[in-house]
């Protein structure tokens, strides 16, 4: 898995970018110390019907982007063959 985390310029949120290129579900545990996040974050997942999926003009999309709400915690389950962006708003930065 490839993982990167960044804080927004105004320091109001953390964004995680996670790529799982494998065909297995993976779990990631992260630690931001004593920083407190809002209870719910937003997750955008890019996934396809297979690792070879592609979108072709005038055909039904094989690769789709789904937005969902995600509970804030330090353990994430990342589905196979996906690209994920996860945003957590910061309540208290320490």
């Amino acid at each position: 898995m490839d993982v990167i985390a960044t804080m927004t310029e105004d320091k109001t949120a953390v964004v995680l970018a996670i790529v799982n290129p494998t065909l297995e579900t993976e779990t990631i545990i992260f630690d931001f110390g004593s920083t407190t996040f809002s209870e719910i974050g937003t997750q955008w997942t890019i996934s396809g019907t297979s690792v070879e999926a592609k979108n072709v003009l005038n055909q039904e999309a094989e690769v789709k982007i789904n937005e969902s709400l995600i509970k804030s915690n330090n353990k994430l389950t990342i589905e196979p063959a996906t690209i994920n962006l996860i945003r957590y708003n910061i309540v208290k930065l320490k």
Side-chain angles (χ1 to χ4, degrees):
M1 261 194 319
D2 292 319
V3 179
I4 190 166
T6 189
M7 186 180 300
T8 57
E9 188 174 347
D10 62 2
K11 298 183 179 177
T12 61
V14 168
V15 178
L16 304 168
I18 306 169
V19 178
N20 181 359
T22 73
L23 297 177
E24 302 292 328
T25 299
E26 301 284 346
T27 300
I28 183 170
I29 298 172
F30 59 91
D31 181 3
F32 288 103
S34 57
T35 299
T36 307
F37 298 101
S38 59
E39 290 186 28
I40 302 294
T42 304
Q43 179 173 1
W44 296 269
T45 302
I46 302 170
S47 62
T49 54
S50 75
V51 294
E52 302 295 324
K54 61 184 178 285
N55 290 348
V56 178
L57 186 62
N58 297 323
Q59 292 184 16
E60 186 175 346
E62 293 180 356
V63 178
K64 297 181 180 176
I65 301 173
N66 294 307
E67 180 178 332
S68 59
L69 298 178
I70 184 171
K71 185 172 178 153
S72 295
N73 62 46
N74 68 337
K75 185 177 179 180
L76 295 170
T77 301
I78 306 300
E79 295 300 318
T82 59
I83 300 169
N84 301 270
L85 293 174
I86 300 165
R87 179 186 171 113
Y88 293 122
N89 290 328
I90 297 172
V91 173
K92 191 170 189 181
L93 181 62
K94 292 185 181 180

